[in-house]
Amino acid sequence: MDDASRWRPPAPMHRASVLIREILVLNEVMEFMMRRQMDLNETDFQAMQHLLKQRSMSPGELAQALHLTAAATTTVIDRLVAKGHAERTPHPTDRRRWQISPSEDSIRRTMEKIMPMILEVDSKVRSYDDDGQRVIVDFLDSVVSSMNHRVAVLEQQTGEPPAPPSDN
């Protein structure tokens, strides 16, 4: 048995910490289901996540975000375009370059799947008074900060290039 399988927290975890772990697991389940419904492999799905967030990226920006070579990214883009999830359009100022964007149909179908959950969560947060909302936001900010810190540490340990900054 290796050290990782023997690791245990020093004390029972707070219910909030357990729930954060459950959220992470459920996110993986949701991503798996979305990939299957969209007929995408994991890499193509990750590309779509970046495109949905940024709305438009150059092939080079997408390659950097995915940590892929230009050739591998071209293959990803080709698959997304062929399945109707993405579109290539000429760059607005440089006719030699292309921009990759999610298709309107893909945006609509994705939002139809995830917006009900997002609206439920938003409604629940808004049901608390201002002080309660501040506590929720403070807690979630600390979770995001902890996760960003852990990502940075892992990137430094593995020597992988840092991920592009988020627009939080």
Side-chain angles (χ1 to χ4, degrees), residues 47-117:
M48 282 304 298
Q49 286 186 307
H50 289 291
L51 292 172
L52 288 165
K53 183 176 180 182
Q54 301 297 326
R55 295 298 180 172
S56 181
M57 300 175 81
S58 71
E61 291 167 333
L62 187 57
Q64 182 181 8
L66 295 171
H67 305 287
L68 294 176
T69 65
T73 303
T74 298
T75 301
V76 169
I77 294 167
D78 288 344
R79 285 192 303 255
L80 293 175
V81 170
K83 291 182 179 184
H85 289 297
E87 300 168 344
R88 282 186 180 96
T89 55
H91 190 277
T93 59
D94 185 347
R95 294 179 51 148
R96 297 168 296 171
R97 296 178 58 204
W98 291 93
Q99 288 295 110
I100 312 304
S101 305
S103 69
E104 289 301 319
D105 185 56
S106 193
I107 292 169
R108 180 188 53 74
R109 289 185 301 169
T110 301
M111 291 301 111
E112 285 174 354
K113 289 174 178 49
I114 65 172
M115 281 310 288
M117 179 201 60

Side-chain angles (χ1 to χ4, degrees), residues 124-141:
K124 182 61 180 176
V125 169
R126 291 176 188 278
S127 74
Y128 292 91
D129 64 20
D130 289 346
D131 288 338
Q133 289 182 37
R134 276 191 285 280
V135 169
I136 292 167
V137 169
D138 179 64
F139 173 73
L140 292 174
D141 275 342

Side-chain angles (χ1 to χ4, degrees), residues 9-77:
M13 300 296 287
H14 190 281
R15 176 77 175 134
S17 300
V18 171
L19 288 171
I20 289 295
R21 175 67 182 134
E22 191 170 333
I23 289 168
L24 294 172
V25 170
L26 285 168
N27 185 65
E28 290 178 17
V29 171
M30 286 183 61
E31 284 187 1
F32 174 80
M33 294 175 76
M34 293 284 291
R35 285 193 315 263
R36 192 170 57 194
Q37 289 181 3
M38 296 172 76
D39 189 29
L40 297 174
N41 65 37
E42 188 169 346
T43 301
D44 295 359
F45 184 78
Q46 295 299 320
M48 282 304 298
Q49 286 186 307
H50 289 291
L51 292 172
L52 288 165
K53 183 176 180 182
Q54 301 297 326
R55 295 298 180 172
S56 181
M57 300 175 81
S58 71
E61 291 167 333
L62 187 57
Q64 182 181 8
L66 295 171
H67 305 287
L68 294 176
T69 65
T73 303
T74 298
T75 301
V76 169
I77 294 167

Side-chain angles (χ1 to χ4, degrees), residues 155-166:
E155 285 174 339
Q156 186 176 25
Q157 289 173 348
T158 61
E160 290 185 18
S166 66

